[in-house]
Amino acid sequence: MIRNTLPRLVLAALAVPMALGLASCGKKDGGGGAIGGDKIAPIAAPAGKAWSDTIAKNADGGYVMGNPNAPIKLVEYGSLSCPHCAKFAQESYDELVNQFVGSGRVSYEFRSFAIHPQDVPLTVLAQCGADEAFFPLVHQVYANFDAMNAPLGDPEVQKKAEAASSVPPPQRFVALADALGYTQFFAQRGVSTDQAKACLLNPANAQRIADNAQKYGDSGITGTPTLMVNGTKVDGTEWPEVRKALMAAGAR
């Protein structure tokens, strides 16, 4: 992630009222009740479709993959700049999508919780395309996490990111995304430079992410990733722990 001085500078410069810092990446809280239920039979998708291709947005700021009526609902509060979230995604994605979501028994909702300044342009760009592109783009961010974040240790990159503060407000997220290499990264994955610029220039997009961060923090989410199965917090942030919770809820 960007070094400690840089987030403060960029956050102040971007002038978006955000709850950044309310949550921390990888923080593990106690709590979380037992999750249990009878075994649930797989639920077939509509003819010619796969549950993993069924994507919808909701009023809570999340994107939901899978059977909208799935009896088991997995919700993740994740930061796109969080290495612990990236680790969870790298270890879980194929099995979660192909087996659990694919069975129709589990839906998977991702709520992007902006805890660092770079989460704002990352989330805006992941949401810039069609709804169906959201999960593949988030997966690409996490799958390439180390390479994507390596330049953040470069003093020249840090200077360029800091310089975003001197750009007129409507262009600041564009400048930050360009400085951190995000514009090029997403352009290579189907979000054109012009499309990215239009999304980043729209203040409503950043404000929505800010409002969601405030809402999630106010609701008691204090760490990323935070994972919930049917409203009960999973004890732990590793895929084996979440898999166990899903199976205990009936996906076995």
Side-chain angles (χ1 to χ4, degrees), residues 23-137:
S24 59
C25 178
K27 181 177 179 180
K28 294 187 178 182
D29 294 328
I35 301 170
D38 295 333
K39 181 178 180 180
I40 300 170
I43 302 167
K49 295 185 178 180
W51 285 128
S52 58
D53 295 329
T54 302
I55 311 296
K57 292 186 289 189
N58 62 27
D60 293 314
Y63 282 70
V64 183
M65 176 197 300
N67 179 1
N69 298 311
I72 303 171
K73 301 185 184 301
L74 172 64
V75 177
E76 176 184 358
Y77 294 86
S79 158
L80 296 181
S81 66
C82 171
H84 298 276
C85 302
K87 182 176 184 292
F88 175 78
Q90 291 164 8
E91 294 178 349
S92 69
Y93 193 80
D94 289 342
E95 186 176 3
L96 173 59
V97 171
N98 295 327
Q99 296 188 30
F100 287 93
V101 173
S103 74
R105 295 177 290 195
V106 177
S107 64
Y108 169 49
E109 178 180 348
F110 185 89
R111 299 180 182 180
S112 182
F113 190 174
I115 64 173
H116 301 119
Q118 60 266 39
D119 283 319
V120 180
L122 283 172
T123 301
V124 169
L125 292 171
Q127 296 177 348
C128 191
D131 291 350
E132 293 75 16
F134 176 78
F135 282 100
L137 288 173

Side-chain angles (χ1 to χ4, degrees), residues 8-248:
R8 292 196 297 270
L9 289 170
V10 174
L11 178 57
L14 296 176
V16 175
M18 302 192 68
L20 303 193
L22 286 181
S24 59
C25 178
K27 181 177 179 180
K28 294 187 178 182
D29 294 328
I35 301 170
D38 295 333
K39 181 178 180 180
I40 300 170
I43 302 167
K49 295 185 178 180
W51 285 128
S52 58
D53 295 329
T54 302
I55 311 296
K57 292 186 289 189
N58 62 27
D60 293 314
Y63 282 70
V64 183
M65 176 197 300
N67 179 1
N69 298 311
I72 303 171
K73 301 185 184 301
L74 172 64
V75 177
E76 176 184 358
Y77 294 86
S79 158
L80 296 181
S81 66
C82 171
H84 298 276
C85 302
K87 182 176 184 292
F88 175 78
Q90 291 164 8
E91 294 178 349
S92 69
Y93 193 80
D94 289 342
E95 186 176 3
L96 173 59
V97 171
N98 295 327
Q99 296 188 30
F100 287 93
V101 173
S103 74
R105 295 177 290 195
V106 177
S107 64
Y108 169 49
E109 178 180 348
F110 185 89
R111 299 180 182 180
S112 182
F113 190 174
I115 64 173
H116 301 119
Q118 60 266 39
D119 283 319
V120 180
L122 283 172
T123 301
V124 169
L125 292 171
Q127 296 177 348
C128 191
D131 291 350
E132 293 75 16
F134 176 78
F135 282 100
L137 288 173
V138 168
H139 182 57
Q140 282 293 300
V141 171
Y142 284 146
N144 296 280
F145 191 85
D146 289 344
M148 192 175 182
N149 285 278
L152 299 180
D154 185 337
E156 290 302 315
V157 173
Q158 292 186 34
K159 288 180 182 178
K160 290 179 181 179
E162 289 178 3
S165 64
S166 64
V167 176
Q171 288 83 35
R172 286 179 184 173
F173 281 120
V174 175
L176 183 59
D178 287 347
L180 299 180
Y182 298 160
T183 307
Q184 181 181 9
F185 180 89
F186 281 87
Q188 294 170 345
R189 290 158 177 84
V191 180
S192 72
T193 300
D194 288 343
Q195 184 181 5
K197 182 176 180 180
C199 289
L200 291 164
L201 285 173
N202 185 344
N205 291 330
Q207 189 61 56
R208 182 175 60 253
I209 295 164
D211 292 343
N212 286 336
Q214 183 71 53
K215 178 170 61 177
Y216 302 155
D218 289 346
S219 73
I221 304 301
T222 59
T224 59
T226 291
L227 297 126
M228 316 282 289
V229 173
N230 287 347
T232 298
K233 184 180 176 184
V234 177
D235 287 321
T237 62
E238 303 287 335
W239 172 233
E241 297 161 329
V242 178
R243 183 203 292 120
K244 181 179 179 180
L246 293 173
M247 294 180 70

